[in-house]
Amino acid sequence: MKRIAIIAALSGELKPLVQGWQQRGQLYVGNIGETECLAIAGGMGAKAAARSCELVLAEGKLDALVSYGWAGALSCGLKPPAACVIAEVIDSTTGEQTRTAASEGQRLVTLDHVARPDEKREIAQKYQAPLVDMEAATVARIAAARNLAFYCFKGVSDGYNDKLPDFNNFLEKDGQLRMPAFIAYALLHPKYWTALMQLGRQSKGAAENLAGLVTESLRRTL
């Protein structure tokens, strides 16, 4: 039986996938087909992703690392709540490009911050990528260093034209969102209410579609 680890940032990304799985501390343990799976939602950003990888690698031999979760659309061609197989990941910090184990799929760029609405067009043009996240490049780099297969699956949570607040102001150093402070800010800025409610619906749908895509894809390829 093969054994893989699924690295997410937020618990909402994993929720539809890990229903019925056992929870052991921060880890979820279950199966996709004949594949044994560990899953963790350890926070947003490179440092959080690295910590999550360290935790799952400490659990024993793995055959693959999977970067999993929400991504922002940099193009009108991809809309929420689509779920996508990623074929190539670009690290915006180093310029490093990594192919995944998938034979085809989308290109994704990893930033060191949450992409703001006013910079999405520039990022898309620079990297020729329709999707953006904060963790995939780190997971790819660790998978390569450990000689593990690397997969990446992303659900589109926010569209190219969605006018959302700047989440970077509410991120802790450990990659967690300061939710009370963010909610307080949102309540004082009604112009974001509609967009945030839409983001909630889109994120939920993207997580559900992502769980279905990953289940089908991994059963076929592993």
Side-chain angles (χ1 to χ4, degrees):
M1 177 181 286
K2 291 193 174 181
R3 192 166 183 257
I4 68 171
I6 298 168
I7 310 299
L10 302 171
S11 59
E13 297 168 332
L14 284 178
K15 187 176 180 181
L17 180 68
V18 300
Q19 286 183 357
W21 292 18
Q22 293 182 348
Q23 188 169 1
R24 193 170 68 221
Q26 288 184 268
L27 296 177
Y28 295 91
V29 182
N31 292 81
I32 296 177
E34 297 299 315
T35 302
E36 182 183 350
C37 302
L38 303 175
I40 185 172
M44 300 169 64
K47 290 182 179 180
R51 286 194 301 269
S52 293
C53 289
E54 289 173 6
L55 284 170
V56 296
L57 288 165
E59 292 292 312
K61 182 180 179 297
L62 294 172
D63 297 289
L65 288 177
V66 180
S67 180
Y68 181 96
W70 291 317
L74 299 175
S75 164
C76 292
L78 283 177
K79 300 182 184 300
C84 306
V85 178
I86 304 301
E88 184 178 25
V89 174
I90 302 174
D91 188 333
S92 67
T93 303
T94 65
E96 184 180 6
Q97 300 181 23
T98 304
R99 295 288 303 182
T100 73
S103 58
E104 59 183 19
Q106 301 290 342
R107 174 182 285 180
L108 174 140
V109 58
T110 295
L111 299 186
D112 62 0
H113 62 280
V114 180
R116 298 182 300 272
D118 62 353
E119 64 177 345
K120 282 189 171 183
R121 182 176 181 180
E122 179 183 350
I123 295 167
Q125 291 176 340
K126 182 175 181 179
Y127 297 102
Q128 294 298 297
L131 290 169
V132 61
D133 85 333
M134 293 177 62
E135 298 84 29
T138 296
V139 180
R141 187 160 46 250
I142 293 172
R146 296 295 189 112
N147 199 29
L148 299 174
F150 170 63
Y151 294 88
C152 184
F153 302 92
K154 295 291 174 174
V156 184
S157 57
D158 52 292
Y160 172 68
N161 291 316
D162 291 359
K163 303 301 182 185
L164 294 165
D166 187 350
F167 288 89
N168 294 290
N169 297 325
F170 304 95
L171 279 182
E172 299 280 12
K173 291 182 179 180
D174 64 356
Q176 300 298 324
L177 190 65
R178 292 189 291 120
M179 190 57 72
F182 177 73
I183 291 173
Y185 174 86
L187 288 173
L188 294 173
H189 294 79
K191 66 179 180 179
Y192 293 125
W193 291 356
T194 299
L196 287 170
M197 287 189 290
Q198 179 174 282
L199 177 66
R201 293 192 296 270
Q202 291 171 173
S203 297
K204 183 175 183 292
E208 291 169 350
N209 292 337
L210 190 56
L213 174 66
V214 168
T215 299
E216 176 186 351
S217 297
L218 292 182
R219 279 177 172 165
R220 187 171 61 246
T221 58
L222 287 176

